[in-house]
Amino acid sequence: MNGSFSVRLGYAVGNIDMEKELKMGILSWILFGLIAGFLAKWIMPGRDGGGLIMTILLGVAGAFVGGWVGTRLGFGSVTGFNLGSLFTAVIGAIILLFAYRILKKP
């Protein structure tokens, strides 16, 4: 019975750790997206709408696009919170900004 209790306790502690890691992962993506989106808008200034939330979404979407393009071209993808991944995300965000501006023109 004592072993059963410790397994249950370990399971509960494992769930708490996993939930904490999930929250930190989401916060990391938000921060990563904010930095990448900000850098993309700084490199490619213009009259784009959106505030903080759109900048974060631009950066996160840019990470996906940059990772996809980078993988297809053999440069690699977004692998974590590091400079290579940030560069890839910024390139992806610039691609998205460029596409948005082309589609937005009347």
Side-chain angles (χ1 to χ4, degrees), residues 72-106:
R72 298 290 178 253
L73 296 177
F75 296 122
S77 65
V78 177
T79 57
F81 206 105
N82 55 47
L83 287 177
S85 295
L86 182 62
F87 179 75
T88 301
V90 170
I91 295 300
I94 289 172
I95 291 169
L96 288 175
L97 272 176
F98 183 73
Y100 171 76
R101 290 179 183 168
I102 286 176
L103 293 174
K104 184 182 167 191
K105 285 185 179 180

Side-chain angles (χ1 to χ4, degrees), residues 2 8 15 23 27 35 41 46 61 64 77 90 94 99-100 103:
N2 202 7
R8 292 173 107 184
N15 278 346
K23 286 180 183 176
L27 290 175
I35 294 169
K41 284 186 170 188
F64 284 108
S77 65
V90 170
I94 289 172
Y100 171 76
L103 293 174

Side-chain angles (χ1 to χ4, degrees), residues 28-40:
S28 296
W29 272 103
I30 290 171
L31 180 62
F32 191 76
L34 177 64
I35 294 169
F38 175 77
L39 288 173

Side-chain angles (χ1 to χ4, degrees), residues 1-22:
M1 182 140 205
N2 202 7
S4 174
F5 178 75
S6 66
V7 169
R8 292 173 107 184
L9 181 62
Y11 180 72
V13 170
N15 278 346
I16 291 170
D17 289 343
M18 196 161 99
E19 184 178 324
K20 184 178 177 183
E21 285 183 30
L22 179 64

